Amino acid sequence: MSMILSASVVRVRDGLPLSASTDYEQNVGVQECQKYFKTIAKRLSQLPDRCTLHAGLYNLNFISSLGVSYMMLCTENYPSVLAFCFLDELQKEFITTYNMMKTNTAVRPYCFIEFDNFIQRTKQRYNNPRSLSTKINLADMQTEIRLRPPYQISLSELGSANGYPHVPLPEYKGTGKISTAPHQRLEPVTLSGIVSFLLSLLCGALNLIRGFHAIESLLQNDREDLSYVIAFFLGTAACLYQCYLFVYCTGWRNIKSFLSFGLICLCNMYLYELRNLWQIFFHVTVSAFSVLQIRLRQPQGKAPDYNV
């Protein structure tokens, strides 16, 4: 069953536990992960502010901010986007409830144990996402995870916990790494993406029209250069291919977009005698804008089908 098992709040500089949930399962796997909690808590100051550890059937995720780290343990199939939404909610509530002076001057463990009440309520909500009463912006969190994926902590980095050596586990795909299979959907289209798509179509149409005019000139005047016709049609093909890359997910999308941009630049350089500087600038700028939009519209992770 996909669920959150436990959560805790820890001070970054010394690993002092400030609060924690108390009703986690007491099986062997969870107990071993609690050792990872303690080991990571001692090294929080040396780790990035967003990390994930895959430990067998469980995932340990945490975020750190303003000297405090928020950690949670969940089953391996629990959606990472919900896991980090859960941690983000804990962080906002803790910062609102306690000021930094209290957290910095705390001397005894679990001095904010009353925060466990909020942890328990939030955990129950996230363990039953269909009953979540508040709206969770999964799209924003997915975008943030894609742009700044969690650092993947390996068990070898932790050394040994409490004297027990770790057995290497099979590698897992990173939370922030998204498959780029051709059938995978891309992120929703933005207004700037629509503009770049239409402008690329316009440039392709302009190249196509000029190409047909060049063919007519070639038939009427033997001195017309056939290479101009080829350059116009190559420019058309490159513009249309950029539109294709923007709409569909293919392998090596970014590299292909750069290659098409280079082809458009070369065609416009060759057509320098037939176009003025403003026309060349327009075609090259539109192509560069399309490359940017292709890079920004990345494949999206499979969003959990939750009614939130």
Side-chain angles (χ1 to χ4, degrees), residues 35-283:
K35 299 176 184 177
Y36 301 150
F37 260 101
K38 296 177 181 178
T39 304
I40 292 177
K42 297 176 182 178
R43 306 183 184 182
L44 285 171
S45 59
Q46 306 169 10
L47 294 170
D49 62 348
R50 178 184 292 159
C51 297
T52 295
L53 169 68
H54 299 292
L57 299 176
Y58 306 97
N59 288 342
L60 195 159
N61 307 294
F62 71 86
I63 59 175
S64 300
S65 176
L66 300 176
V68 179
S69 183
Y70 308 87
M71 312 173 71
M72 58 92 72
L73 178 68
C74 61
T75 54
E76 63 173 343
N77 57 347
Y78 192 80
S80 60
V81 63
L82 283 183
F84 283 101
C85 279
F86 169 77
L87 292 174
D88 187 62
E89 195 163 334
L90 294 189
Q91 173 184 297
K92 291 178 180 177
E93 180 65 21
F94 192 85
I95 292 175
T96 303
T97 306
Y98 307 101
N99 58 47
M100 291 184 60
M101 181 65 70
K102 289 185 177 180
T103 58
N104 290 333
T105 57
V107 294
R108 59 185 179 85
Y110 304 106
C111 56
F112 303 123
I113 193 61
E114 67 275 5
F115 188 71
D116 176 47
N117 295 328
F118 179 81
I119 295 178
Q120 297 295 347
R121 293 195 304 268
T122 309
K123 188 175 73 169
Q124 290 175 6
R125 288 171 48 235
Y126 277 82
N127 280 342
N128 187 15
R130 294 186 182 277
S131 66
L132 282 171
S133 58
T134 58
K135 200 80 171 179
I136 300 177
N137 197 332
L138 295 179
D140 284 354
M141 182 57 70
Q142 281 181 324
T143 301
E144 186 176 348
I145 290 176
R146 175 180 63 79
L147 295 177
R148 196 168 62 88
Y151 174 74
Q152 304 294 316
I153 303 176
S154 64
L155 293 176
S156 60
E157 290 182 66
L158 298 181
S160 59
N162 293 348
Y164 294 96
H166 295 304
V167 178
L169 296 179
E171 292 185 359
Y172 291 78
K173 290 182 179 180
T175 305
K177 297 178 181 178
I178 303 175
S179 172
T180 56
H183 63 274
Q184 190 171 1
R185 292 182 178 180
L186 296 170
E187 292 181 345
V189 179
T190 61
L191 178 60
S192 58
I194 294 175
V195 172
S196 71
F197 180 83
L198 294 177
L199 290 176
S200 293
L201 285 180
L202 175 61
C203 289
L206 292 174
N207 284 325
L208 187 62
I209 293 171
R210 291 294 301 274
F212 282 119
H213 287 169
I215 291 177
E216 293 178 0
S217 299
L218 180 64
L219 296 176
Q220 297 173 3
N221 185 0
D222 293 337
R223 291 176 298 176
E224 185 71 25
D225 194 344
L226 177 62
S227 59
Y228 288 147
V229 178
I230 297 175
F232 279 122
F233 282 108
L234 283 177
T236 299
C239 290
L240 296 180
Y241 191 61
Q242 284 191 327
C243 293
Y244 173 82
L245 293 175
F246 179 75
V247 174
Y248 295 102
C249 179
T250 64
W252 306 97
R253 285 175 71 240
N254 293 334
I255 295 178
K256 291 176 181 178
S257 67
F258 276 113
L259 291 176
S260 60
F261 171 70
L263 179 59
I264 290 173
C265 291
L266 289 175
C267 290
N268 280 276
M269 289 174 60
Y270 190 80
L271 297 171
Y272 179 78
E273 295 181 356
L274 302 181
R275 282 178 169 161
N276 59 43
L277 290 177
W278 286 110
Q279 290 174 327
I280 294 175
F281 177 77
F282 176 75
H283 282 268

